[in-house]
Amino acid sequence: AFSFLACTSAQVDISAADWQADLRFLQKTVHDDYSFLFKKITKEDFDANVEELYQAIPTMQEHEIVTGFARIVASFEYGHTVLDLRRSSFKYHVMPWNLYHFNDGLYVEGIHKDYEGVLGAKVLKIDGIPVDEALAAIRPVVPAENDQFFKAYGTTYLGIPEVLHAQGVMKELKNEIAVTMEKEGK
């Protein structure tokens, strides 16, 4: 098992009421100007998801709120309709790796030089959770049109501790992730 540290920068504070107002603005804008997005999710399901997040916002941490917004946007299941967490003004921690989903599992295909010993390793667990369960937990946050799109781009979200925490993969928020890997039988 390896533990990786992720990088971040300063965050901005926004009140719960402001987040709720932003969510209502998003909801109204989608209904008024982007109703064509309702192909893979109904208006009613979208509104129910918005209402659930709206009610929860006062009890949520900032990363959970932003991840909630990402879930709302990803619910349209269009790959180019995205709240890009990596380029957000609310900076998330990001693992220094690239993962690739091969037929026999998820592997480290690129890594920061400080961790080069795990290059080519198969990822087995994320913070003690089997990788397939972790992938299923983050799936609602990934703006994926289909399974192949998710395999190509969704693995990035496995390296964001805030998403892992918001989606229940990590029990507590921390800026490092314990990753269990296998390489050359070890």
Side-chain angles (χ1 to χ4, degrees):
F2 288 88
S3 187
F4 295 103
L5 293 177
C7 302
T8 190
S9 63
Q11 302 223 358
V12 177
D13 290 325
I14 296 178
S15 73
D18 288 339
W19 280 115
Q20 289 172 317
D22 286 349
L23 183 59
R24 289 293 187 225
F25 176 80
L26 171 65
Q27 182 181 30
K28 182 178 180 345
T29 301
V30 167
H31 279 285
D32 292 350
D33 300 331
Y34 300 96
S35 60
F36 64 86
L37 290 171
F38 295 114
K39 300 287 186 225
K40 297 179 182 179
I41 186 172
T42 66
K43 292 177 182 183
E44 295 77 19
D45 287 343
F46 172 77
D47 288 338
N49 293 342
V50 167
E51 190 59 31
E52 182 180 340
L53 178 58
Y54 184 91
Q55 295 301 322
I57 284 174
T59 64
M60 298 172 83
Q61 296 176 53
E62 184 175 76
H63 71 279
E64 294 170 310
I65 296 169
V66 176
T67 302
F69 270 76
R71 270 193 313 273
I72 296 293
V73 173
S75 71
F76 297 115
E77 295 186 30
Y78 288 107
H80 297 288
T81 301
V82 58
L83 186 131
D84 191 344
L85 301 175
R86 296 167 298 154
R87 292 176 182 89
S88 165
S89 61
F90 300 95
K91 298 298 182 192
Y92 279 44
H93 294 81
V94 180
M95 296 287 283
W97 65 10
N98 292 318
L99 302 176
Y100 190 82
H101 211 140
F102 289 95
N103 288 337
D104 64 336
L106 193 62
Y107 289 83
V108 178
E109 78 165 346
I111 190 94
H112 187 276
K113 65 182 180 176
D114 290 348
Y115 305 105
E116 63 187 23
V118 299
L119 187 62
K122 183 176 184 177
V123 179
L124 304 175
K125 294 182 181 182
I126 302 290
D127 219 51
I129 304 293
V131 71
D132 288 341
E133 288 179 32
L135 285 165
I138 64 158
R139 179 73 161 90
V141 180
V142 180
E145 298 172 7
N146 54 45
D147 290 338
Q148 193 58 38
F149 196 101
F150 178 71
K151 284 182 176 183
Y153 299 102
T155 57
T156 301
Y157 292 73
L158 278 181
I160 303 175
E162 291 83 355
V163 170
L164 295 173
H165 178 255
Q167 293 300 106
V169 175
M170 294 174 70
K171 296 197 184 329
E172 65 181 68
L173 179 61
K174 53 190 176 195
N175 69 346
E176 57 183 52
I177 303 170
V179 182
T180 304
M181 300 181 198
E182 179 182 281
K183 184 174 178 180
E184 299 172 359
K186 297 179 186 177

